[in-house]
Amino acid sequence: MDHVVWDETMSVGVPVLDDEHRHLLRLFNGLLESGITPANREELSALLASLNDYVAVHFAREEALMVDGGYPDLDQHLAAHRYFAGEVAGLQAEFDGDNTTMLRMDLILLLKDWFVEHIQQTDALYKPYVGQGRAFA
Ligand SMILES: [Fe+2]
């Protein structure tokens, strides 16, 4: 799954969330494609920062919509988000904190796989509650 792109099987039925999922997968693919050389350290750092920021924005939106929709398994879903956000933040902190640390592409790949699975299995569970009959820009 090292170059997964978004497709309809990942749709959660809410356009803004689908857009954000697409964007996050693009960020992962960008990281995986950028390769690791000392020369592109700044580029990787910027990509990691974008990923970190975008994960926070996306999870906040998704969580607000789940609350609005009265999604019953919120705690479990929030725990999954906290885990993932913590892993991404840890990866960035480790990479930025030590010039000799190489970016762990194996971890990026694991996180991406986790994220794809999260969309297909965990996010899919909120479909009946979120965005039903409501317009989202
Ligand atoms: Fe989620």
Side-chain angles (χ1 to χ4, degrees):
M1 294 231 274
D2 54 328
H3 196 103
V4 174
V5 291
W6 189 93
D7 65 43
E8 283 298 325
T9 68
M10 293 184 213
S11 178
V12 295
V14 183
V16 67
L17 297 179
D18 284 344
D19 282 346
E20 290 178 354
H21 287 155
R22 258 192 294 271
H23 186 72
L24 282 162
L25 289 177
R26 273 199 297 271
L27 287 173
F28 270 114
N29 286 333
L31 275 164
L32 289 167
E33 282 159 16
S34 61
I36 318 168
T37 67
N40 71 358
R41 199 173 174 86
E42 256 177 57
E43 183 197 341
L44 289 175
S45 178
L47 268 170
L48 270 180
S50 304
L51 180 64
N52 217 5
D53 291 349
Y54 208 80
V55 162
V57 167
H58 168 63
F59 282 174
R61 188 194 312 277
E62 202 175 75
E63 289 163 13
L65 290 175
M66 283 191 284
V67 169
D68 273 7
Y71 179 63
D73 284 323
L74 194 62
D75 286 352
Q76 217 177 339
H77 203 129
L78 293 193
H81 283 180
R82 296 292 82 81
Y83 163 77
F84 184 78
E87 291 293 303
V88 173
L91 198 66
Q92 189 196 3
E94 192 188 342
F95 184 68
D96 285 345
D98 180 357
N99 268 345
T100 63
T101 302
M102 295 312 273
L103 188 57
R104 294 278 309 275
M105 286 298 175
D106 56 333
L107 288 184
I108 301 270
L109 200 53
L110 275 179
L111 285 172
K112 188 188 170 191
D113 289 351
W114 183 99
F115 188 64
V116 170
E117 204 176 296
H118 177 79
I119 295 172
Q120 289 175 325
Q121 295 179 13
T122 307
D123 288 346
L125 300 174
Y126 65 57
K127 276 193 202 178
Y129 299 90
V130 172
Q132 293 307 300
R134 302 165 64 174
F136 290 99

